[in-house]
Amino acid sequence: MIEFEIYYDLTCSASAALHPELKTFLDMPFLGRTVRDAIKVNYVFHPLPYHHGSWIPHKILPYVIDKCVASPLNCKLPYYIDFAFNNQNFILTSKDTSFNDLVVAWTGMVSTTFGWPQPELISLYSWDTDTHNSEMRTRYMWKYSASQGIANTPSMSVNGIELQEPPFDHNSMMQLLQDVYNSQRSKFPAVYAEIDKKYGTFLTQ
């Protein structure tokens, strides 16, 4: 199994620019399927703990993830990522807005878009009312990224190895995947012989 790990900050313009290319890459054909069906993709978020603007959209992620676990077929996580990237300028241009006012404004936008009750979303920002452990889980996101040596976003690792610089277009991502796949074929010929029997040989050597 080939595993891509993508590190995003939802308020990072470079992350927002990479995301459409990643989505195109995941829908490209690979081994008789799409890339998203052939590899494992992990999204990791790297919110800045010292920047209240960045923290606010990330703190909703545990709530969204819990909804996905409860109802996988109705998972809105990919749509929330798109929403956050498409509306990141609202956060970035709100430097003179207080934390509480920004929480009310952002949760209102999210509630209108996704139909989640705004009081539930606002409750995520208080230790006394939050039932999703949102504060600690958002901190865990940052801690995990930091433990992997991530210092900026977007970043990417493949099979646990961080790339010096992630590819920023879908064709370069596909070339990277093909290179990794071909390398693994040469190291594990018996395993990939079985894959060829099942799916056929789709990549040139």
Side-chain angles (χ1 to χ4, degrees):
M1 172 64 75
I2 297 174
E3 179 176 327
F4 276 53
E5 195 155 68
I6 316 298
Y7 297 84
Y8 280 156
D9 177 346
L10 293 176
T11 59
C12 167
S13 59
S15 295
L18 176 67
H19 191 56
E21 292 295 320
L22 177 69
K23 292 197 295 182
T24 298
F25 163 66
L26 294 177
D27 287 331
M28 294 174 73
F30 181 71
L31 297 180
R33 298 169 284 176
T34 61
V35 170
R36 73 173 69 250
D37 292 326
I39 70 172
K40 182 178 181 181
V41 179
N42 292 327
Y43 292 97
V44 182
F45 299 94
H46 189 60
L48 299 175
Y50 49 82
H51 188 304
H52 78 268
S54 177
W55 203 250
I56 287 171
H58 289 90
K59 202 167 179 181
I60 293 180
L61 286 168
Y63 174 89
V64 180
I65 292 168
D66 287 347
K67 284 188 170 294
C68 290
V69 172
S71 181
L73 295 180
N74 195 37
C75 181
K76 302 297 184 184
L77 179 60
Y79 305 103
Y80 181 72
I81 295 172
D82 288 342
F83 171 86
F85 281 144
N86 290 336
N87 291 279
Q88 65 178 202
N89 281 341
F90 176 80
I91 296 288
L92 297 174
T93 57
S94 299
K95 296 179 181 178
D96 296 327
T97 304
S98 71
F99 179 87
N100 289 340
D101 287 347
L102 193 52
V103 165
V104 171
W106 182 258
T107 56
M109 293 167 58
V110 173
S111 177
T112 299
T113 301
F114 295 98
W116 300 324
Q118 187 177 14
E120 284 189 10
L121 299 175
I122 291 177
S123 74
L124 304 175
Y125 296 87
S126 170
W127 288 100
D128 296 331
T129 57
D130 178 25
T131 60
H132 296 266
N133 197 25
S134 304
E135 177 66 27
M136 292 308 300
R137 289 167 70 183
T138 306
R139 294 185 188 190
Y140 296 154
M141 295 177 197
W142 180 86
K143 287 181 179 181
Y144 174 77
S145 298
S147 74
Q148 300 303 302
I150 301 303
N152 51 61
T153 57
S155 293
M156 182 183 298
S157 66
V158 180
N159 291 345
I161 300 174
E162 183 185 355
L163 304 182
Q164 186 171 10
E165 183 174 331
F168 271 83
D169 67 87
H170 59 273
N171 288 322
S172 297
M173 293 178 195
M174 177 56 75
Q175 185 60 59
L176 171 64
L177 176 58
Q178 290 179 337
D179 290 344
V180 173
Y181 174 80
N182 289 336
S183 175
Q184 289 193 346
R185 281 186 66 95
S186 65
K187 291 180 180 178
F188 308 104
V191 172
Y192 282 89
E194 292 300 316
I195 293 176
D196 288 344
K197 287 180 183 178
K198 186 173 183 180
Y199 298 109
T201 303
F202 290 88
L203 297 180
T204 57
Q205 301 302 302

